Amino acid sequence: MAIRFPPAHEASPEGLLAIGGDLSVDTLTEAYLNGIFPWPISKTSPLTWFSPDPRGVLYTDEVHYSRSFERFLKKHKYEIKFNFDFKAVIDNCALTKRKHEAGTWITQEIINGYIRLFEAGKAYCVGIYNGDQIVGGLYGVCFGGIISGESMFHTESNASKLCVYSVMEKLKAQNIPFLDTQMVTPIIESFGGVEIDRDTYLEELSKLRRITLTRADIFNS
């Protein structure tokens, strides 16, 4: 049975809304449909849930690419695979060291929860391959028109950017208005990502819940 969350607008100024609970498919579904996501503070702390204000998004009709990245798109030799090896993508995201972070928020509990979500058809991934070697990846959730980018990694230049590009092209094709990035990282900012206030995000979310597309509809590989 899914956990019932407080309304998202009751979150603290830092975005913290709830503490505790589980990462079952039903609970994660309930969370994302209401603008909430899990973001563990540490491996030893109780599970924490957030609904930040402002919220990072990348609009499909406002995304832009640098000239150097457009040149890269014309000549790269990578293979792009959607939903090929979710575990490899999320495991690599968990192992990636990031600036200003002492550890990873992608705990084993998170990994197991999102693998179950993927098996239920409510999460997706994209992997960038150089031959048989995965060199970049991104994973997120997909609930109809609600599409997020949870985390990404790269071991070769531009591989993570290629992930974002590939996802945005899929969203454009289905007229999905934006990718929920939760926050605006330097890569997302370079693509035109912006912050919107929580009320605006929740209003948009109510529209996205009416879209009945499946993962296969959006991320056919």
Side-chain angles (χ1 to χ4, degrees), residues 123-187:
Y124 73 94
C125 70
V126 55
I128 308 302
Y129 288 81
N130 186 347
D132 294 331
Q133 184 71 34
I134 186 169
V135 297
L138 177 154
Y139 78 93
V141 306
C142 49
F143 296 95
I146 302 169
I147 312 296
S148 78
E150 294 295 309
S151 186
M152 57 186 171
F153 81 95
H154 72 276
T155 59
E156 295 187 10
S157 297
N158 286 319
S160 56
K161 290 183 179 181
L162 186 56
C163 289
V164 177
Y165 167 82
S166 302
V167 170
M168 295 307 292
E169 290 300 296
K170 295 290 188 181
L171 301 194
K172 281 183 182 180
Q174 296 295 339
N175 296 311
I176 294 173
F178 62 80
L179 175 70
D180 173 16
T181 63
Q182 300 167 356
M183 61 187 70
V184 179
T185 64
I187 287 180

Side-chain angles (χ1 to χ4, degrees), residues 64-124:
H64 57 77
Y65 310 112
S66 67
R67 290 182 179 179
S68 62
F69 185 67
E70 288 181 339
R71 289 195 296 270
F72 164 79
L73 288 174
K74 292 178 181 178
K75 66 180 183 179
H76 81 82
K77 303 298 182 181
Y78 293 118
E79 184 176 5
I80 303 165
K81 298 182 181 181
F82 279 91
N83 302 321
F84 177 70
D85 191 341
F86 187 87
K87 188 176 187 303
V89 171
I90 195 169
D91 282 349
N92 275 281
C93 287
L95 292 171
T96 297
K97 294 183 179 179
R98 307 176 197 278
K99 293 180 179 179
H100 313 301
E101 291 185 16
T104 178
W105 63 270
I106 306 176
T107 62
Q108 191 60 51
E109 184 182 16
I110 287 283
I111 291 171
N112 294 342
Y114 281 82
I115 286 176
R116 289 191 294 267
L117 202 64
F118 177 78
E119 291 170 346
K122 297 179 178 180
Y124 73 94

Side-chain angles (χ1 to χ4, degrees), residues 11-24:
S12 73
E14 297 77 25
L16 177 62
L17 181 68
I19 299 174
D22 60 51
L23 289 166
S24 68

